[in-house]
Amino acid sequence: MKRMMTILTASLAMTSFTGSGLAAEHGEAGMMIPKQEQQEMVNIAHRGASGHAPENTMGAFQKGFEMKADYIEIDVQMTKDGELVVIHDTTVDRTTNGTGKVGDLTLEEIRQLDAGSWFSEAFTGESVPTFEEVLAEFHGKVGILVELKAPELYTGVEEKVADALIDRNMNTPNNNKIIIQSFNHESMKKSKELLPNLSHGVLIGGSWADVTEEQLAQFATYADYFNPTMKIVTDELVSNVHEAGMDIYPYTSRSSEQALRLFDLNVDGIITDYPEHIYTHPVKNS
């Protein structure tokens, strides 16, 4: 995959994006990655720039774009009436002023909810976006890492996502600006069959700390990315993932120190709430 050259920096060095007070707020003042340690890295804004704006809202995605992330990561679920919406939890309770399961609410009911004021009064009135809205606004501007959230709850969600991408001609070969991932690995097998030209990833929790080379080889039959919790990332794991032919994008970095550790482990990308910890430069064609 063609990657983006990046320099991992402390937030203090990125005041043009986030304001001079951010580094002090997070206890990272003065921290800098030596120039000789620069390497290829991909910057993924987790649920958008969710350290700066309410997660999985258009405001967070726009912030991630403005902060020059390579990808915005989004969570896709399905409403009672079969519409695709972008929200992380399987209920609306935590990130909106409503209650109930996403799958028990219609799109109209979900669209009436305030998805921003819990984060800050400045974001009052932010709504839960639809998958189509995110595609329409950000495709071509920034890569989109699409997580199918709890697809086992939503019969046919893989087909719905595939149809939306195909309708927009976003299923073309070598389109590395769209990646699909999930903790549900059977769902990823199904999605890969529907969208064979798109890259797919398996999300991995802590229980996979002792994943074997044989298991990695099996994942590699349908996945291009092995994306684990950063807690289990080691030199050996990164090496084994690369040997299996996959890239590795750990989640979720929330400090420069955490990003630096992942950087030193030679991962391929970092999923982060704070994109300013990774400063992106495009690769120049030779």
Side-chain angles (χ1 to χ4, degrees), residues 210-223:
D210 297 320
V211 63
T212 66
E213 293 181 14
E214 291 75 16
Q215 288 170 322
L216 288 172
Q218 181 59 37
F219 282 132
T221 62
Y222 61 92

Side-chain angles (χ1 to χ4, degrees), residues 79-208:
T79 65
K80 182 178 180 179
D81 48 346
E83 299 296 329
L84 298 177
V85 290
V86 177
I87 186 170
H88 178 270
D89 296 3
T90 56
T91 72
V92 300
D93 300 41
R94 180 177 64 86
T95 58
T96 79
N97 61 342
T99 59
K101 295 180 180 179
V102 174
D104 289 342
L105 300 170
T106 65
L107 176 60
E108 182 178 358
E109 289 171 329
I110 288 178
R111 294 290 275 174
Q112 300 303 312
L113 303 178
D114 181 337
S117 59
W118 68 271
F119 185 90
S120 166
E121 289 184 3
F123 293 98
T124 299
E126 282 273 1
S127 61
V128 174
T130 67
F131 184 47
E132 290 281 359
E133 286 173 336
V134 175
L135 295 181
E137 179 63 27
F138 292 102
H139 176 58
K141 295 170 64 175
V142 63
I144 305 175
L145 176 57
V146 180
E147 179 180 347
L148 301 193
K149 180 61 65 176
E152 62 276 9
L153 299 179
Y154 309 110
T155 302
V157 68
E158 296 89 355
E159 288 86 354
K160 288 266 189 179
V161 168
D163 288 345
L165 294 171
I166 292 168
D167 286 348
R168 290 183 174 275
N169 198 32
M170 294 167 66
N171 63 319
T172 54
N174 302 316
N175 180 4
N176 287 319
K177 285 301 183 181
I178 299 291
I179 303 171
I180 302 174
Q181 66 175 0
S182 183
F183 284 100
N184 186 318
H185 304 157
E186 291 303 314
S187 177
M188 289 302 89
K189 291 179 183 178
K190 184 174 184 179
S191 181
K192 187 66 174 180
E193 291 177 357
L194 295 167
L195 297 164
N197 294 321
L198 290 187
S199 295
H200 285 70
V202 288
L203 282 164
I204 297 296
S207 63
W208 286 92

Side-chain angles (χ1 to χ4, degrees), residues 241-263:
V241 169
H242 288 161
E243 283 292 324
M246 294 180 289
D247 282 358
I248 180 168
Y249 291 176
Y251 66 90
T252 304
S253 174
R254 296 185 173 93
S255 72
S256 289
E257 291 87 353
Q258 290 174 340
L260 175 59
R261 174 181 173 272
L262 294 172
F263 187 96

